[in-house]
Amino acid sequence: MKYIVQLSRIFTGILFIISGFIKLNDPLGFSYKLEEYFSSDVLNIEFLIPYALGISVLVVVFEVVLGVFLLIGYKPKFTVWSLLLMIVFFTFLTFYSAYFDKVKDCGCFGDALAMTPWESFSKDVVLLVLILILFVGVKHIKPIFSKLPTTVIALLSFIVSLWFGYHVLMHLPSIDFRAYAIGNNLPEEMAIPDDAQKPILEYTWTFNVNGEEQEFVTNGSYPSVDGEYVGVETKTIDEGYIPAIQDFSIESDEEDLTSYFLEKDKLVMITMYNVNKGESEGMAKLKYFADDAMKKGYTVIGLSSSGPADKAQVKADYNLDFDIYLCDEKVVKTIVRANPGIIILNKGTVVNKAHWNDIEDIEL
């Protein structure tokens, strides 16, 4: 039993640290995932949405700290009880989203590793078993250092985790796992190869045959049935090839300008998923930066999901001389984890990106 507990301790501790650190690297992204869980379509606890960012920071810091506590043997009973409560909650959450097909990716490993709902649930079940082993064998969890060093390491893990979370919120994730990372070419990330695997769909057709409804399953072709058509339902068997970027677009009121702008040599995109929620200090910095970029030959545009009236108002409020085009809110949030944020492209390739706090550090 002792050796099983130690193996469970090491595996669980390392997994919690890795999972927590990946989310701590992008707490804003994890808060967006929590908002999805809190929405009316999932858990219907929308009153928590305004607190999603604070909850996300607390959860991921706690996740990292518990992993460290477990590995060093700090306060074993508190640590194991906390791990058990956390994994029971997440197991319920992943089962709910998988069974009712509510959330496509749990966000357990941020953007570093996408997992289907059932994969997420399976992972949580394995962790639940390991933590139950720790719960039963908690007496075998001993500190690996004396009391003072153990306490110091535990305290440092909390301080460092909290500082790191604050740092990436005030700047950008230290490691960018998204398709809009520096060095990536957006048209390539959006492209579907000619030989890419096609999605496989299953069609269930319902016909009224001699007064009785009957179902016929095909791969898409209309069945040859001597009866009255009632309806059809489709089920995705295999999604096939999915490009890294699916919904990115730059649209005016009249046309789609995505290809036009992605061919530009020197393009600055200022992202504001909601102009009314933009940080006032950051919005105030945009005027000087945008004017300077245009003087140096850059094409400057804005991207936002806000309506025409709100975009016109923010242009007037801050005297902005660039046009703000329409882009899906979720996409804008993904491009740069800041509101506003800056991304610089050369023929569709990302050459730089920055939080509004770091506008002064951008070299044009």
Side-chain angles (χ1 to χ4, degrees), residues 84-102:
L84 183 60
L85 292 173
M86 181 175 279
I87 198 61
V88 166
F89 172 72
F90 281 124
T91 302
F92 159 75
L93 204 61
T94 52
F95 172 77
Y96 180 87
S97 62
Y99 185 79
F100 293 101
D101 194 26
K102 293 291 186 179

Side-chain angles (χ1 to χ4, degrees), residues 22 54 86 131 138 149 170 274 342 348:
I22 289 173
M86 181 175 279
I131 293 172
V138 68
M170 293 297 101
N274 186 323
I342 309 294

